Amino acid sequence: MAAFTRGETLVRVTDRVGNEFYCAVEDLKDPSELTPEERESCVDDATIGRYAGDFKKAP
């Protein structure tokens, strides 16, 4: 998983099989167009739960 910036604003996205990820707002686009490299900059929901204080989620 790629490094993240503390305090970065993230939004929750869900893939076709139901996995949840949190991605930087500026990195969002149609999920079907994400390259594997771009997907690496997303953070899964388990990491968000573990390090909740390090992330700022968009409403």
Side-chain angles (χ1 to χ4, degrees):
M1 213 172 297
F4 65 91
T5 303
R6 191 173 286 245
E8 185 173 19
T9 300
L10 306 174
V11 294
R12 181 176 55 183
V13 295
T14 305
D15 66 13
R16 291 184 189 155
V17 295
N19 296 312
E20 291 183 346
F21 297 87
Y22 288 85
C23 300
V25 172
E26 59 273 0
D27 292 338
L28 289 182
K29 62 180 182 180
D30 184 340
S32 66
E33 296 176 7
L34 285 176
T35 65
E37 294 80 20
E38 290 170 324
R39 193 175 306 267
E40 284 294 317
S41 68
C42 295
V43 179
D44 63 78
D45 61 333
T47 300
I48 291 290
R50 198 169 345 150
Y51 302 104
D54 294 336
F55 297 98
K56 181 173 38 173
K57 296 183 278 188

